[in-house]
Amino acid sequence: MFRIGTGSDTHRLVEGRPLVLGGVNIVSDRGADGHSDADALVHAIADAILGALCEGDIGVHFPDKDPQWSGASSLELLSRVMWLVRERSLHVVNVDSTIVLETPRLRPYVDTMRANIAEILGVDPGCVSVKAKTGEGVDAVGQGLAVTAQAAVLMESN
């Protein structure tokens, strides 16, 4: 049995917040605004997994009104989502994801992001694709006001 899910996440960029993507602290003068660490990439992957499980989205499981998730590591949230995957005797086959961010350039960080995500998912980093794109000056992302990420995941039964 196979399961496929997709996810996306967008956060405004603000001064005074760290920029965390794929569990990596990115050198930047602005970071993503959010209740947790606002890691748009990990949130999109978690949403893709939850979608494949037909379990809603990350906000259902970790509501931004719940103080226990304030400042939480998104990798920890993803780890909790993976508990649901294992509970259903499934495993992740691969993930394909894209981050759209005008600046800074993410290429130097991608391999570490892939390794962080792969560790939580229990797969080889070769099963985790992370692509980085710019917004080409279009919309809030292209104007440097936001970061967005999309992800697709394939899972199968054990």
Side-chain angles (χ1 to χ4, degrees):
M1 176 183 72
F2 289 97
R3 291 288 187 106
I4 297 171
T6 63
S8 66
D9 194 46
T10 301
H11 287 275
R12 288 182 299 120
L13 296 174
V14 296
E15 291 187 19
R17 288 273 303 188
L19 180 59
V20 179
L21 293 166
V24 178
N25 287 314
I26 308 296
V27 176
S28 178
D29 59 345
R30 292 181 301 146
D33 191 22
H35 186 66
S36 66
D37 64 7
D39 187 329
L41 175 59
V42 173
H43 291 182
I45 293 169
D47 271 354
I49 292 168
L50 289 166
L53 296 174
C54 300
E55 284 285 342
D57 63 26
I58 196 167
V60 170
H61 296 268
F62 313 104
D64 61 5
K65 304 292 186 229
D66 188 336
Q68 80 172 334
W69 307 121
S70 179
S73 163
S74 294
L75 289 176
E76 173 61 27
L77 303 182
L78 183 60
S79 179
R80 290 171 181 258
V81 167
M82 286 303 296
W83 183 85
L84 295 172
V85 172
R86 290 186 295 275
E87 183 179 67
R88 288 170 176 78
S89 298
L90 295 166
H91 67 272
V92 171
V93 175
N94 77 303
V95 172
D96 183 27
S97 63
T98 305
I99 305 165
V100 187
L101 178 69
E102 203 63 20
T103 60
R105 298 292 183 194
L106 299 177
R107 180 72 234 148
Y109 304 99
V110 166
D111 290 339
T112 305
M113 291 178 199
R114 291 175 64 210
N116 288 346
I117 294 162
E119 182 177 351
I120 300 296
L121 301 182
V123 299
D124 185 90
C127 297
V128 177
S129 169
V130 175
K131 302 177 297 292
K133 305 286 185 183
T134 67
E136 299 292 331
V138 177
D139 69 30
V141 173
Q143 294 170 19
L145 302 174
V147 58
T148 194
Q150 299 95 30
V153 64
L154 174 64
M155 296 189 303
E156 71 177 334
S157 55
N158 291 331

